[in-house]
Amino acid sequence: MTRRREGGGAAALPLLILLLAAGLRFAALGTVPLGLHGDEAITGIDARRALRDGWLGPYLYPSALGQPSGPVYVAAAALGLCGESTAVLRGSMALFGVASVGFTYLAGRAMFGRVVGLAAAALLVALPWHLHLSRTAFMVNAWPALQMAALWLLFRARRVRARGAGAAGRFALFGVVAGLGLYTYNAYPLSLPVLAVPFVCDLLRPAAGLTRRRAWRDALLAAAVIVAMALPMAEYARTHEEYFWHQEEVGVFFTPAWREADWPARAALLAARGAEWGRGVLFGGRRDDGDGLAERGYPLLDPLSIALLAAGVLLAARRWREPAAATLLAGCLVLPWGALLTIEDGLYRRTYALVPILALLAALPLARAWRAAATRRWRPLAAALIVALLVASAARNAWRYFGPLQDSEQMRYVFPYQADAAARFIAALPAGARVYWYSDRWPASFETLRWHAPNADVVERASHFGVTAPDGSPMLGIDGGHPAVVMLLGRYQSLADTWQSGLPGGEWYTAQRGDEVLYRAYVLP
């Protein structure tokens, strides 16, 4: 699929798209999603550690079962500059989300032309999958940003080389960015085969004026730089056995179902996981309690994107020998394995780098329609129809996300707004107060509580987490010598009368969201 220079002086369009993307990602970050997820809080806790201790190494354990540390330093910089808050913490990762939109535009322009880049970026602005995750403090947001930056640099380097200019420095820069991606997310290595596709195409079918010797030289240079960038992580993996524990915890190869099955049964396991993932992406209804995606009626892709994607895959398949189209098709084949090779929830997060690839594929039929209209002098009408489609789809997606989805059962379950509110109350208590924590969902060590109230003295009292009186009933009573606060969440709110009758004289504080009581706090003198 050859690249053509696009006409039109719409230099402001990419900036406008970026501004829209930023507006949708930074608006109301403190309250949407509802409460700070535990994995988001881990990002903040590690960022706070980085501010205090400096370099934490290339890999963080036991944070989220183990994960690369790169995005933590971006979060630390944001917290250091702007102070600690939910909005700042989420905003530090939303920066990667906005960058993903920008780099998707640049990559699309370098691979196919300006129209494809603009259409792909516009589709990505409010794509449900990307809009939701890029508004969270999940460190996975860095993965698609680095992947698309690397794709842009790679195709720019190939264009410079095609003009006969020296491109060694550009291929080396591509290697730097591609190598840095290894420090973004555990599943990033899946992006490396996708990034290798243009090199394979150049080696198998060199373009006019390109010798295989030069193709080999550029490929080996890029690979050497990537390997050099990977050395700190490789050394960590060699000297720390816990590096592999995350993969053992979530990998399908380590499950009894896999180990005890024959190859046909294993193929069936992978097929079932693929169907599960595809159902959530296209139709919703496969709820992911790891990040709140794929609620019933809320698929990860909107109807316009699905229709365009189907046409885009067909267009790319017709030109599969060309490096740009082959790269997108390879992404569709390789990146879903982030879900297929793992178990339980998190399957959409582990395939997140696929989203901008899908946006580029969905942009291909729009670009084709635009070019066809130009030959028939229908370009103004085509422009109006394309813009109307994109604006209507983005408005629909944004309304559904900020409106009914936030009140859905799944979002209210996954994002712990009750514990978040209780943690904020505890953070405002005077120094020296001891909090007796009763919750049927979140332990006293819950990360959201540790993020909001890092210095609080919180004592576990919930029977759900192993603390009971000798007769098996909930443990009551307080230790003397300091102010005491009893924090009741969920079903433990039924203990309110018992506490008041046993220790009268305290004051009740209650937080509500509509008719729901989030917590009841009994502050004793």
Side-chain angles (χ1 to χ4, degrees), residues 153-248:
L153 291 170
L154 175 55
F155 277 87
R156 284 283 296 174
R158 295 177 74 255
R159 284 178 55 207
V160 170
R161 182 181 63 190
R163 294 198 297 262
R170 293 178 179 271
F171 280 103
L173 181 58
F174 156 77
V176 169
V177 174
L180 284 174
L182 294 166
Y183 301 89
T184 61
Y185 190 64
N186 283 310
Y188 177 86
L190 289 172
S191 292
L192 294 179
V194 180
L195 297 175
V197 168
F199 292 104
V200 175
C201 291
D202 288 339
L203 292 170
L204 294 177
R205 299 181 66 207
L210 176 64
T211 65
R212 279 196 170 86
R213 180 177 180 180
R214 187 170 185 184
W216 271 112
R217 185 190 68 186
D218 293 337
L220 291 174
L221 172 61
V225 175
I226 291 173
V227 169
M229 297 298 298
L231 287 177
M233 187 69 81
E235 177 63 15
Y236 183 94
R238 187 184 70 83
T239 57
H240 295 75
E241 63 178 6
E242 66 268 19
Y243 175 81
F244 300 98
W245 292 352
H246 184 106
Q247 287 78 4
E248 294 175 7

Side-chain angles (χ1 to χ4, degrees), residues 20-33 87 90 94 135 401-402:
L20 290 173
L24 287 176
R25 279 153 184 79
F26 288 102
L29 271 182
T31 54
V32 179
R90 286 176 169 169
R135 288 182 53 84
Y401 179 76
F402 287 97

